[in-house]
Amino acid sequence: MKFGVVVFPGSNCDMDCYHVIDQVLGHPVEYIWHREQGLAGYDCVILPGGFSYGDYLRTGAIARFAPLMDAVSAFAARGGLVLGICNGFQILLEAGLLPGAMRRNDSLQFRCHDVYLRVENANTPFTNRYRPGQVIRMPIAHGEGNYYADPETLAELNREHRIIFRYCTGDGDVAPEANPNGSLENIAGICNKDGNVLGLMPHPERCSEEILGYDDGKALFMSVLHWWGLKREREVVARG
Amino acid sequence: MDSKPAWAEMGLTAEEYARICDLLGREPNYLETGLFAVLWSEHCAYKNSKPVLKLFPTTGPRVIQGPGENAGIVDIGDGQAVVFKIESHNHPSAIEPYQGAATGVGGIVRDIFTMGARPIASLNSLRFGSLDDAKVRYLCGGVVAGIAGYGNCIGIPTVGGEVSFHPSYTENPLVNAMCVGLVEHKDIRLGRAAGVGNLVMLVGARTGRDGIHGCTFASEELSEESEQRRPAVQVGDPFMEKLLIEACLEVIRGNYIVGIQDLGAAGLTSSSAEMAGRAGTGLELDVSLVPRREKGMTPYEVMLSESQERMLLVLEPDKEEPVRKIFEKWGLEAVVIGRVTGDGIYRVRDGKTVVAEVPVKALTDGAPVYHRLGREPAYYREKKNQPVDTVPVPEDLGQVLLQLLADPNIASKEWVYRQYDHMVMTNTVVRPGADAAVLRVKGTGKGIALTTDGNSRYCYLDPYRGGMAAVAEAARNLSCVGAEPIGLTDCLNFGNPEKPGIFWQFEEAVKGMSEACRVLEIPVVSGNVSFYNETEGEAIYPTPVVGMVGLLPDIARRCTPDFKDPGDKILLLGGFSPELGASEYLALVHKIEAGRVPGLDLDLEKRVQACCRSLVREGLIKSAHDCSEGGLAVALAECSINGNVGALLEVEIEGRPDAFLFGEVQSCIVITCVPRDLAQVEAAAREKSVPYRLLGEVGGERLVIREASGRALIDQPVGEMRRVWQESIGNYF
């Protein structure tokens, strides 16, 4: 399975994502420059964290116009896996690949620390190696992670089980005190209708190796590999 | 109207101006005067500090590049090296805290990647007045936000540092930024304009009118008029910096360039003149070719602008096209503005007209060197000899401990470092809050450890001991995580060196630091001097800050300060003879800043540190934390809070209980081990002639320190200690 890590000017978690795919998972991965126009040959595309174009206007607001983003939309429409982490999530929102918007953290400060997350839906290409309701840890590092969506969208996300991660306490309680940024309903990550596009604010690539403290993020990447393996099997069976 | 001559306006003295006329054999024109004024400022020429800085030991088997370049370089084996430097951005931060601090980060980061290294970590050392003051809160909040705003965007983790508070910094905060980079030996580049006929290329941001005479501003005292200096503060663009890092590293790794230097203080003038000075060449620049942000700029303004995020490259003519293409890919301008000459002359043209023409050496090496007179200030003996053991012993020592834990100087700095991205690059193995940060070096089993330290109260009361202590404590912090100190960078923050009392502080502090470096065998490879930290004639406390880098041969063998498991034995390594004098306790509780600074036996210090490191490497100890501000009781409380577990300690008090608990001491480290390793730990200490004592064991939910008689001196729930320690700083905002 081949991964691509998109590099926008100002991306700064691109090397970290590359490292995890290459060194931890041992799978093929390439950087994809923002000016490229196609994504042929890739199976999963990661939009990494950072400050694309400096994020001087609104996070992700410029990056959505990058030449590559049309290809990302088409890739997603074909069922390709798209993972947006932090700034990548913000870009997916601006690009309309995921619903809703980000506001500044309610603290009005950048926040970098570990959070607990509850896995709300373990039946996606990105979460199938977690247990439903499992409480995991991941670091956050953002100034604008305060997720907002109108009530109809929110109801739809809930109804369709598209809220994938919520901030919670260590005991799994989705409580206001566990919310690091003011996000509606403690939302930390959501997916699209088909489940092949995931955006999340926490950084799984920062917790995929024991030496960094814990490796709860690794299962997210392992989920992608697992899902891909099953898909391949189905395809082989279908072709007979 | 001010009728001062131009040279005086620019900060030159009459003697200096006369010297320039001598060197040139004529009077300099306005632009030439400006060139001399910035290059001869203290900030660029170190004219007041040079003779004293010579005291530092700067060589060692690992040193690849000592002081004199943009940053120092120290070998870490496997063909790799670390590049690091610390620098002040105090005056800009006093006027405009967000941009002052942000551009401080930007500047030091450029100093690192200009050497060919990828920046991998930032640290900072901050000093503010008391947080009770609203203006101080504005400065502190702004500085922290500025460091975060810039550092987070460029994707370099801010992994450590220190923040402390004292009224002497009320108007003149200190913002010292350190950056560390990693480089393969073969990629090291120096700031040299070598090769006659080679091109000089300016890359990155356009040049505007911002920051003109910033370094002259940094070399004078703050006053009411400083507010008018606001235009001398630059504005940072971290996005541009991020692009510049990637593009510059790409041209360096591709071996396209001969020399490279960032445009820092004194902008184009100092970077180009210093590059030519180091290479022994001449240089010809045409200011009309410099891309500008605004119309109508004079050659003077172009040459002295301190617009940020610009670099100067020297390359062979046939490399122009490929280099320009790489910068274009990153969306950056790259323009040839001149060439290297062989005549040793620094020539500036504006199109066809020559607007300045002076010998390079006159600019870079012609500055006078002042051997200032130091004189012991009157306060020194008086404070030193002031008896401090007459203060009453507080009744409730537990309350005193809580008071100390809530003291912003001791309290958790989480409010600060949670605003910094300290994990990006996924190398941060030991995060902020420990004695030192530890980063892995990907692709190897090695780690590097980083810390900054300095105790300005010690330096005020005894600059010699204070200077020694800054070096010793930094090295001790590295030893606590298991790292061997391999190099040091210093930021020397003092008042006006023209005052004998200030110069004496400076000289004594450097002597003390040098002695500690010599005994502990740690070379000084880079540094920065910041004088004139005074407001309306009042100097800050003398504040030498030490940034230190350590090496862990095997990162799997590292240590953190937190107590681990119930039943673990707690020992104290080192000779324990705490002093009330100069302590945080004395200042906080009794409002006295006087007495003798704790003594420091450097030979013992060295043995204690070596012992601690070898215990970590042999995997015999589970935690290590040094005793510093707040003494033994605070050190133990921090171990408990971080480990979320209590401890029971039984001690034999010698002298006053408050001195025993909160008095300060050098060369002491609290360690823990499992009971079965205790004998081995003790044997290791004896073998290295390191005194030690068994204090007690980890366990329970309270920190209990009691006398042999059974009387409890301290009995505090860990949760309560954590609450006051963790919430204190945030409560001010």
Side-chain angles (χ1 to χ4, degrees):
Chain A
M1 149 160 221
K2 188 172 168 188
F3 290 81
V5 177
V6 178
V7 183
F8 297 101
S11 292
N12 64 29
C13 301
D14 45 344
M15 288 180 270
D16 303 350
C17 291
Y18 186 100
H19 169 80
V20 169
I21 307 298
D22 183 44
Q23 295 292 315
V24 181
L25 302 185
H27 273 260
V29 55
E30 278 179 31
Y31 290 115
I32 310 171
W33 189 238
H34 65 113
R35 286 190 183 283
E36 285 177 33
Q37 316 237 334
L39 287 169
Y42 292 101
D43 304 304
C44 177
V45 170
I46 300 176
L47 307 190
F51 289 74
S52 51
Y53 301 90
D55 278 342
Y56 289 138
L57 177 58
R58 195 174 62 239
T59 53
I62 305 290
R64 62 167 287 209
F65 294 110
L68 185 71
M69 285 309 292
D70 286 338
V72 171
S73 297
F75 178 77
R78 289 199 304 274
L81 296 183
V82 178
L83 171 60
I85 302 167
C86 198
N87 191 227
F89 184 13
Q90 295 162 340
I91 295 167
L92 291 175
L93 294 173
E94 289 286 337
L97 286 169
L98 291 173
M102 284 300 173
R103 297 171 297 186
R104 279 192 78 186
N105 292 352
D106 56 359
S107 63
L108 301 183
Q109 287 178 348
F110 191 94
R111 284 297 162 84
C112 177
H113 53 77
D114 289 332
V115 294
Y116 287 103
L117 301 174
R118 198 170 73 189
V119 180
E120 301 289 79
N121 180 349
N123 186 26
T124 77
F126 304 96
T127 52
N128 55 68
R129 300 282 87 186
Y130 295 110
R131 292 187 313 278
Q134 187 179 342
V135 176
I136 58 173
R137 250 189 316 171
M138 268 189 210
I140 54 165
H142 60 250
E144 298 188 22
N146 182 351
Y147 180 79
Y148 176 83
D150 59 55
E152 298 77 49
T153 307
L154 213 51
E156 187 181 307
L157 288 172
N158 273 303
R159 200 168 52 240
E160 296 174 352
H161 307 291
R162 288 164 54 195
I163 296 167
I164 309 301
F165 299 109
R166 286 186 212 268
Y167 302 109
C168 67
T169 64
D171 299 328
D173 189 8
V174 177
E177 67 268 23
N179 188 333
N181 51 31
S183 242
L184 283 183
E185 295 191 13
N186 284 33
I187 289 173
I190 58 171
C191 71
N192 66 344
K193 271 185 193 300
D194 294 332
N196 63 320
V197 178
L198 172 72
L200 76 167
M201 288 314 293
H203 287 270
E205 81 282 11
R206 295 187 181 186
C207 55
S208 290
E209 297 162 272
E210 271 296 337
I211 193 173
L212 299 175
Y214 56 92
D215 63 356
D216 291 4
K218 190 177 168 186
L220 191 147
F221 298 102
M222 297 305 286
S223 297
V224 171
L225 292 178
H226 182 72
W227 180 87
W228 177 253
L230 291 178
K231 184 173 168 240
R232 287 281 299 264
E233 274 176 35
R234 279 196 305 272
E235 285 165 358
V236 170
V237 171
R239 279 200 297 273
Chain B
M1 272 299 285
D2 209 325
S3 59
K4 272 202 276 188
W7 49 265
E9 278 291 325
M10 295 177 193
L12 290 165
T13 65
E15 295 76 38
E16 286 167 350
Y17 186 70
R19 189 184 174 101
I20 293 166
C21 296
D22 272 358
L23 284 167
L24 297 184
R26 62 178 166 85
E27 284 207 76
N29 65 27
Y30 187 79
L31 171 58
E32 289 166 340
T33 309
L35 302 182
F36 278 102
V38 290
L39 278 162
W40 286 18
S41 69
E42 174 61 33
H43 195 88
C44 292
Y46 296 98
K47 57 192 173 189
N48 290 298
S49 52
K50 244 181 201 166
V52 178
L53 297 177
K54 286 203 176 109
L55 294 170
F56 282 136
T58 58
T59 55
R62 289 184 182 274
V63 176
I64 295 174
Q65 177 66 55
E69 266 285 346
N70 290 290
I73 309 180
V74 179
D75 180 45
I76 58 166
D78 307 319
Q80 295 176 310
V82 282
V83 180
F84 56 94
K85 189 183 183 186
I86 190 167
E87 200 162 71
S88 63
H89 232 218
N90 304 337
H91 281 49
S93 305
I95 302 299
E96 168 41 57
Y98 185 99
Q99 290 298 343
T103 53
V105 174
I108 196 67
V109 166
R110 285 193 297 282
D111 276 332
I112 300 309
F113 71 78
T114 194
M115 309 292 289
R118 176 166 288 278
I120 56 165
S122 288
L123 295 93
N124 50 72
S125 177
L126 311 177
R127 300 286 187 284
F128 301 101
S130 163
L131 283 175
D132 294 319
D133 184 323
K135 165 103 185 279
V136 170
R137 291 196 295 276
Y138 158 74
L139 290 173
C140 176
V143 163
V144 171
I147 291 170
Y150 204 99
N152 296 347
C153 183
I154 57 179
I156 297 165
T158 304
V159 299
E162 41 164 10
V163 189
S164 61
F165 305 90
H166 186 274
S168 80
Y169 307 108
T170 302
E171 300 288 338
N172 192 134
L174 300 185
V175 176
N176 294 178
M178 175 172 167
C179 185
V180 183
L182 183 68
V183 69
E184 301 277 332
H185 290 185
K186 66 175 170 50
D187 290 328
I188 292 172
R189 287 295 178 283
L190 301 176
R192 277 157 215 243
V196 174
N198 281 344
L199 305 179
V200 177
M201 186 184 253
L202 183 62
V203 303
R206 294 184 154 224
T207 299
R209 286 195 171 97
D210 43 340
I212 291 171
H213 270 299
C215 64
T216 318
F217 165 47
S219 304
E220 63 186 28
E221 294 175 25
L222 289 172
S223 66
E224 288 285 319
E225 287 147 32
S226 299
E227 273 297 312
Q228 298 164 11
R229 289 287 199 182
R230 206 180 281 272
V233 179
Q234 315 86 342
V235 176
D237 177 356
F239 174 54
M240 177 71 82
E241 177 104 339
K242 168 70 177 159
L243 301 177
L244 207 49
I245 295 173
E246 300 305 333
C248 288
L249 289 179
E250 199 170 323
V251 297
I252 290 169
R253 305 267 150 97
N255 209 10
Y256 289 110
I257 56 168
V258 174
I260 175 169
Q261 167 128 355
D262 73 302
L263 277 70
L268 187 53
T269 300
S270 73
S271 58
S272 55
E274 282 171 10
M275 283 183 90
R278 290 195 199 103
T281 53
L283 214 61
E284 186 170 297
L285 304 179
D286 183 350
V287 287
S288 72
L289 300 174
V290 173
R292 305 174 189 196
R293 212 175 272 166
E294 46 202 310
K295 285 200 179 105
M297 288 179 72
T298 64
Y300 178 86
E301 288 170 325
V302 173
M303 290 304 294
L304 270 67
S305 160
E306 290 191 8
S307 290
Q308 299 288 291
E309 292 93 22
R310 298 179 299 161
M311 305 285 288
L312 202 62
L313 314 182
V314 171
L315 47 141
E316 290 166 359
D318 62 336
K319 300 291 192 328
E320 180 184 351
E321 209 35 43
V323 168
R324 216 180 40 73
K325 281 223 167 85
I326 289 170
F327 280 91
E328 199 173 77
K329 173 184 142 194
W330 289 99
L332 297 173
E333 280 186 297
V335 177
V336 171
I337 60 164
R339 57 182 64 238
V340 179
T341 62
D343 60 3
I345 298 293
Y346 189 84
R347 191 175 295 109
V348 183
R349 289 177 182 279
D350 185 5
K352 287 209 162 64
T353 322
V354 173
V355 289
E357 196 167 33
V358 296
V360 170
K361 289 289 173 195
L363 285 173
T364 57
D365 301 329
V369 173
Y370 297 117
H371 295 266
R372 298 280 178 200
L373 178 70
R375 196 170 54 237
E376 186 184 295
Y379 79 84
Y380 173 63
R381 265 159 217 274
E382 185 194 317
K383 298 266 183 196
K384 187 175 180 174
N385 296 326
Q386 184 179 331
V388 293
D389 51 7
T390 52
V391 299
V393 178
E395 266 188 26
D396 188 343
L397 295 167
Q399 272 308 311
V400 172
L401 176 59
L402 291 180
Q403 201 182 339
L404 279 163
L405 289 172
D407 171 19
N409 285 330
I410 289 172
S412 165
K413 306 302 184 293
E414 192 188 343
W415 184 88
V416 174
Y417 65 73
R418 76 178 178 202
Q419 298 186 53
Y420 304 149
D421 188 340
H422 48 265
M423 305 181 207
V424 63
M425 299 185 102
T426 62
N427 294 323
T428 314
V429 170
V430 175
R431 296 179 185 178
D435 292 65
V438 177
L439 304 185
R440 65 170 165 181
V441 179
K442 283 192 185 114
T444 76
K446 290 179 300 202
I448 59 170
L450 308 169
T451 185
T452 64
D453 280 290
N455 183 319
S456 59
R457 184 180 301 117
Y458 287 4
C459 290
Y460 173 71
L461 294 174
D462 188 337
Y464 183 82
R465 276 192 184 178
M468 279 204 302
V471 173
E473 189 179 347
R476 201 183 311 132
N477 284 334
L478 296 181
S479 298
C480 281
V481 299
E484 178 201 342
I486 57 171
L488 178 157
T489 180
D490 61 81
C491 198
L492 307 172
N493 307 274
F494 290 83
N496 181 346
E498 295 156 38
K499 299 179 184 171
I502 299 288
F503 198 75
W504 175 83
Q505 292 175 336
F506 173 67
E507 233 176 348
E508 289 293 303
V510 171
K511 281 181 190 162
M513 292 169 78
S514 301
E515 177 63 8
C517 287
R518 198 184 56 72
V519 176
L520 300 176
E521 298 177 77
I522 307 168
V524 176
V525 296
S526 60
N528 164 241
V529 179
S530 172
F531 282 137
Y532 303 96
N533 290 290
E534 302 205 355
T535 308
E536 307 293 341
E538 277 298 309
I540 59 160
Y541 268 15
T543 316
V545 170
V546 166
M548 206 180 280
V549 176
L551 180 64
L552 290 108
D554 176 6
I555 197 166
R557 293 292 167 88
R558 61 182 185 272
C559 204
T560 52
D562 47 306
F563 285 154
K564 301 294 185 302
D565 299 297
D568 289 346
K569 296 291 179 192
I570 306 169
L571 295 92
L572 185 71
L573 278 187
F576 188 63
S577 51
E579 292 267 0
L580 274 183
S583 65
E584 187 69 22
Y585 160 70
L586 199 60
L588 182 74
V589 176
H590 300 286
K591 315 295 176 207
I592 296 172
E593 293 188 274
R596 285 178 186 275
V597 171
L600 175 54
D601 172 348
L602 287 169
D603 291 311
L604 173 62
E605 178 78 53
K606 194 175 182 181
R607 294 199 303 277
V608 168
Q609 293 186 16
C611 180
C612 183
R613 288 195 300 269
S614 76
L615 288 169
V616 173
R617 284 177 197 180
E618 286 159 34
L620 287 172
I621 55 175
K622 293 171 77 177
S623 74
H625 183 37
D626 91 310
C627 281
S628 60
E629 287 96 336
L632 178 63
V634 164
L636 292 166
E638 289 169 342
C639 296
S640 265
I641 292 169
N642 283 303
N644 199 21
V645 60
L648 175 62
L649 303 104
E650 204 168 271
V651 294
E652 260 178 67
I653 302 274
E654 300 129 28
R656 300 168 56 121
D658 57 346
F660 183 89
L661 293 169
F662 311 119
E664 294 175 16
V665 62
Q666 293 288 320
S667 322
C668 282
I669 301 176
V670 175
I671 59 172
T672 58
C673 67
V674 292
R676 69 164 183 282
D677 288 339
L678 182 60
Q680 247 183 298
V681 170
E682 290 176 321
R686 277 194 302 271
E687 191 193 314
K688 292 211 160 59
S689 305
V690 169
Y692 66 91
R693 60 174 82 188
L694 186 62
L695 293 177
E697 68 178 47
V698 177
E701 292 174 351
R702 309 174 74 84
L703 175 66
V704 182
I705 305 176
R706 67 181 184 215
E707 289 187 274
S709 65
R711 185 171 76 108
L713 301 169
I714 301 275
D715 185 352
Q716 291 294 333
V718 176
E720 172 71 358
M721 294 194 300
R722 159 170 312 105
R723 195 184 56 73
V724 300
W725 176 80
Q726 204 162 38
E727 293 175 2
S728 172
I729 291 184
N731 284 341
Y732 284 93
F733 289 89

